[in-house]
Amino acid sequence: MPLAEVWQRRGEMRELTLRLCREAMARVDVNVVLPFCAVFVPFMVDLHEIEDEIGIPVINGVAVGLRTAEMFVDLKMIYSKKAYPAAPSALWE
């Protein structure tokens, strides 16, 4: 579905999401849904509606990412300068 059409076709997107979740649940023992695309879930398809329909949790990847960043800030964590050294100053000249 083209991204430009999704807002007008939200109901169809919701039904497609439900169908894919149910198909996955029929094939394997699914305990949680982790959507691949944050554009669709939770912004265009309400993850709580999906949870209510399929009966298992749907992870809000946007919220997880934001909370993780908040946790790093709260814990005053920094990135590894050994793993990610500063770029040589010549790159900035």
Side-chain angles (χ1 to χ4, degrees):
M1 183 178 304
L3 187 57
E5 297 177 17
V6 172
W7 283 107
Q8 293 80 24
R9 299 170 64 185
R10 287 174 66 179
E12 187 179 344
M13 179 57 66
R14 179 185 181 281
E15 293 307 313
L16 177 60
T17 302
L18 285 169
R19 181 174 59 85
L20 291 171
C21 289
R22 288 184 178 122
E23 286 176 9
M25 292 170 70
R27 280 190 245 142
V28 294
D29 183 23
V30 177
N31 296 310
V32 65
V33 172
L34 178 60
F36 280 112
C37 182
V39 173
F40 297 117
V41 178
F43 296 114
M44 296 182 186
V45 177
D46 185 339
L47 64 95
H48 299 293
E49 288 181 19
I50 303 302
E51 286 178 337
D52 291 345
E53 289 278 338
I54 63 174
I56 61 173
V58 178
I59 303 297
N60 182 337
V62 175
V64 169
L66 288 172
R67 290 294 181 137
T68 302
E70 290 173 352
M71 177 188 68
F72 289 158
V73 170
D74 290 344
L75 294 173
K76 298 179 180 19
M77 295 176 71
I78 60 170
Y79 67 93
S80 168
K81 291 182 175 139
K82 182 177 178 183
Y84 303 100
S89 60
L91 290 176
W92 304 108
E93 295 174 358

